[in-house]
Amino acid sequence: MSAAEVSVRRRRGSFGRLFASEVHLVFGRRRNQVGLLVLFGLVTMLGVALKVSAMRHPGDRGGDLFSLVAGNGVFLGFAGLTIEIALFLPLAVSVLAGDAVAGEANLGTLRYLLVAPVGRGRLLVVKACALGVGALTGAVLVALAGVLVGVLLFGAGPLITLSGSQIGLGDGLLRLLLAALYVAVGLAALGMIGLFISTLTEQPIAATVATAMVSTLLWILDAVPQLDWLHPWLLVDRWSAFIDLLRDPVFTDRMVTGLWVDIAYGAVFLFAAWLRFRVKDITS
Amino acid sequence: MSSAPPAIASDGLGKRFGRQQVVADLALDVPKGACYGFIGPNGSGKTTTIRMLLGLVRPDGGSCSLLGEPMPSAAASVLPRVGALVEGPAFHPYLSGTANLLRVDAADPTSDPATARSRVGSALERVGLSAAAGKRYRAYSLGMRQRLGIAAALLQPRDLLVLDEPTNGLDPQGTREVRHLVAGLAAEGTTVFVSSHLLAEVEQLCDHIGVMREGRLVAQGPLAELEGLRAQRFRLQTADVAAARGVLSGLGVQDASEATDGLAGSLSGVEPERIVRALVEAGVAVRGFAVVRPTLEEAFVELTGEGFDVSG
């Protein structure tokens, strides 16, 4: 049978098949599984630390998020997102982004994907979607870990909002899910920066380190008061705004602006990655 | 002569990396159905040429086409009909052979997911890897990796196979098997383009040959024709070197060089019997005269200038 007799038309569902293959590859990798365990473990550590502290100083309750955990385990989900949003979640996304293109280039598998032929734009979109899934998994896992560990250690019940009012458990869990989704969008935007960097090198570690450095640098810039004119333009500036979900009524202004900033960063860097990857000589 | 477009054609194809001109002014012509051996020393630009043909590297100049369609613009419609092994196999180390092939298959938007498992199975069987199909790639030996690379090229029925050094790392038995496999595919009508720095391999397998030297194609054509091009040389044994040289240049044989006990050089189209008669008539003491036809190997060394050493 000659290949000419075989259809060379694109089949329906081929994108889904490639996407499934990519997700399978990312989550099947032992290192990434360990990474998820680490994200989970950090929330557990935080929960245990707060439990020990609560047992030592019963009744000593401030008004901040960490003190609220002692009253209701569901708050550990929010607290977990708060402690992991600056370093650990961005690091996890950086690792995935480093692998995305540079990892395939480093193994040499990139050339075989391209002669398959995967299509450069199609591959980039699949990689971007997989990074989105990775970001979502990380954020949701941290929130979920918070609920599991928190409820186990502190019990569950209605939540006291930062505004002092009380909301039901279901409402609280829904707000936690929204917080995780909001964090995931920001992380996905960082993932697009990482994807762009990943198209510049054949060394996954270099791409990972560079992406993590970009994230850290943005956090540092965001913490320098003298640069307050710059802050609204920084990707990470409104990442912590998910805490507004714990106000009553929910304060959405910062989050909406934050989402637009995330989307703008994501679009610009995905486009930059495409401009670079489209013409790149694959010599690996 | 059929009017079918050549399986591979290029015109003025060139690539420069930094200051180095890696490939220059390449005019490949691989007829449909041919088994084409692309030979040249390491570093002569073979792999870069293959990368340009497959759309991995953008040429700085010239054009190329696969199966009559321009590359890289027609990559999406042409490459599903092309199987390729480029610069050795490359797979994910922590996936099994089967999982790796399924991933490559998933990358091709034209492949049928319903038949993926059976196609992967038969590709593995074809290269003798069925027993190791479930093993992780990292546990594969060099030869098994090479076979898996070839299996990836055979996931679909192909019109053209581009195999870069397909027997690299294989033991003699494996080399024979791959040669047999490639010969079988060529016999089925698949055009095969195989690069190698091993002339013996290409000589046994191919009916067409292209010879690369420092980024340029120095010879190309049917193997039989190229053999005919092998310049006939003579060896003259004489003590009378100076006189002999005078006679030879009188006949138009210019480039004779001093050999151990006489002269040697290209016949330059002059009949040997004329040379011998002229030498004897001029009173040169001829002890021996022989016409030597170089082996293909020697012709190759002559064409590439440097044999099998690395090109700079």
Side-chain angles (χ1 to χ4, degrees):
Chain A
M1 180 169 56
S2 153
E5 296 159 27
V6 176
S7 164
V8 291
R9 267 176 307 159
R10 182 172 286 205
R11 283 174 192 273
R12 282 179 60 191
S14 69
F15 184 86
R17 187 175 169 219
L18 179 59
F19 178 63
S21 164
E22 185 66 27
V23 170
H24 185 78
L25 186 74
V26 170
F27 286 97
R29 184 154 183 193
R30 192 66 51 85
R31 192 208 48 205
N32 295 344
Q33 294 166 353
V34 171
L36 287 175
L37 269 181
V38 169
L39 293 179
F40 194 103
L42 287 164
V43 178
T44 311
M45 269 173 52
L46 176 66
V48 170
L50 291 174
K51 180 72 179 177
V52 169
S53 157
M55 287 193 304
R56 276 196 190 161
H57 314 284
D60 178 17
R61 297 211 177 155
D64 67 347
L65 183 63
F66 293 100
S67 316
L68 288 169
V69 175
N72 189 325
V74 176
F75 279 113
L76 188 59
F78 290 96
L81 286 174
T82 305
I83 61 155
E84 299 210 23
I85 200 172
L87 179 61
F88 296 103
L89 284 169
L91 196 58
V93 168
S94 302
V95 168
L96 298 184
D99 268 350
V101 178
E104 300 265 17
N106 191 47
L107 284 175
T109 45
L110 183 58
R111 62 176 182 268
Y112 286 108
L113 291 176
L114 292 178
V115 302
V118 70
R120 294 190 183 209
R122 194 163 157 267
L123 181 64
L124 213 52
V125 171
V126 161
K127 292 287 183 185
C129 291
L131 282 173
V133 169
L136 185 67
T137 306
V140 169
L141 180 88
V142 168
L144 199 67
V147 172
L148 287 177
V149 176
V151 169
L152 211 66
L153 292 175
F154 303 101
L159 285 82
I160 312 288
T161 65
L162 293 173
S163 315
S165 62
Q166 190 170 322
I167 55 171
L169 179 60
D171 196 4
L173 288 175
L174 179 67
R175 291 187 188 199
L176 178 59
L177 178 65
L178 289 176
L181 294 178
Y182 175 77
V183 168
V185 174
L187 291 172
L190 178 67
M192 297 308 109
I193 298 180
L195 186 61
F196 168 63
I197 295 172
S198 203
T199 62
L200 302 178
T201 171
E202 288 166 13
Q203 294 300 326
I205 302 289
T208 294
V209 169
T211 309
M213 277 171 64
V214 167
S215 155
T216 308
L217 183 69
L218 290 173
W219 281 108
I220 291 172
L221 292 177
D222 200 49
V224 176
Q226 286 80 359
L227 296 174
D228 59 354
W229 53 271
L230 185 66
H231 293 172
W233 303 97
L234 298 177
L235 175 63
V236 301
D237 184 53
R238 295 176 191 83
W239 275 15
S240 307
F242 66 85
I243 214 71
D244 291 348
L245 284 161
L246 281 179
R247 299 182 202 284
D248 199 25
V250 171
F251 181 60
T252 56
D253 282 15
R254 286 204 303 160
M255 282 196 291
V256 169
T257 318
L259 284 175
W260 283 117
V261 172
D262 292 344
I263 289 168
Y265 267 87
V268 165
F269 280 94
L270 182 58
F271 187 60
W274 161 242
L275 288 181
R276 174 73 193 113
F277 192 55
R278 191 174 60 95
V279 296
K280 190 182 186 184
D281 280 345
I282 309 300
T283 53
S284 60
Chain B
M1 199 64 204
S2 77
S3 59
I8 299 176
S10 75
D11 184 26
L13 198 65
K15 182 68 185 180
R16 173 183 285 278
F17 285 125
R19 279 186 179 177
Q20 197 177 2
Q21 187 77 40
V22 182
V23 175
D25 200 24
L26 203 69
L28 280 173
D29 179 16
V30 179
K32 199 166 180 295
C35 186
Y36 186 103
F38 193 45
I39 52 177
N42 294 323
S44 57
K46 300 191 298 292
T47 296
T48 301
T49 302
I50 287 173
R51 283 179 183 271
M52 283 194 283
L53 294 175
L54 296 172
L56 293 171
V57 164
R58 294 168 71 87
D60 317 310
S63 60
C64 57
S65 69
L66 291 184
L67 303 169
E69 295 190 60
M71 283 295 291
S73 53
S77 59
V78 175
L79 289 183
R81 296 159 61 198
V82 178
L85 181 71
V86 191
E87 212 175 4
F91 294 96
H92 290 280
Y94 41 88
L95 293 183
S96 69
T98 302
N100 267 303
L101 291 191
L102 284 172
R103 177 160 171 80
V104 173
D105 194 63
D108 176 0
T110 69
S111 82
D112 182 3
T115 59
R117 290 234 161 236
S118 66
R119 282 183 291 109
V120 164
S122 51
L124 286 169
E125 198 182 328
R126 200 144 188 195
V127 298
L129 269 185
S130 296
K135 260 195 189 175
R136 285 180 171 216
Y137 178 70
R138 66 187 310 163
Y140 280 22
S141 68
L142 192 58
M144 289 161 84
R145 292 176 177 201
Q146 191 73 12
R147 285 160 195 256
L148 191 63
I150 296 170
L154 302 178
L155 280 172
Q156 303 269 5
R158 312 286 193 184
D159 288 329
L160 170 65
L161 281 175
V162 176
L163 303 172
D164 192 7
E165 306 269 359
T167 58
N168 230 2
L170 294 175
D171 54 22
Q173 173 64 18
T175 303
R176 262 195 300 279
E177 283 172 25
V178 166
R179 205 181 287 148
H180 187 72
L181 180 68
V182 173
L185 290 160
E188 286 169 26
T190 308
T191 307
V192 180
F193 181 88
V194 51
S195 89
S196 183
H197 64 281
L198 300 174
L199 185 73
E201 181 173 303
V202 164
E203 210 176 349
Q204 291 181 41
L205 197 59
C206 299
D207 45 40
H208 281 66
I209 274 188
V211 182
M212 287 288 281
R213 176 189 177 184
E214 290 169 6
R216 288 170 189 278
L217 196 62
V218 291
Q220 173 175 251
L223 189 59
E225 217 169 88
L226 275 186
E227 293 210 41
L229 279 181
R230 279 153 36 184
Q232 294 201 328
R233 298 176 63 81
F234 68 87
R235 277 188 51 78
L236 168 65
Q237 284 175 280
T238 179
D240 228 346
V241 173
R245 198 185 283 279
V247 174
L248 287 171
S249 51
L251 287 167
V253 180
Q254 297 291 354
D255 64 339
S257 58
E258 204 126 344
T260 39
D261 51 358
L263 290 168
S266 165
L267 282 174
S268 313
V270 182
E271 299 84 41
E273 51 270 35
R274 262 186 73 200
I275 296 177
V276 176
R277 199 174 69 206
L279 286 168
V280 173
E281 282 171 1
V284 176
V286 176
R287 280 183 202 150
F289 187 89
V291 174
V292 192
R293 207 168 135 82
T295 63
L296 194 56
E297 178 111 26
E298 286 163 339
F300 175 85
V301 171
E302 181 133 311
L303 281 170
T304 59
E306 55 204 295
F308 296 92
D309 292 335
V310 173
S311 284

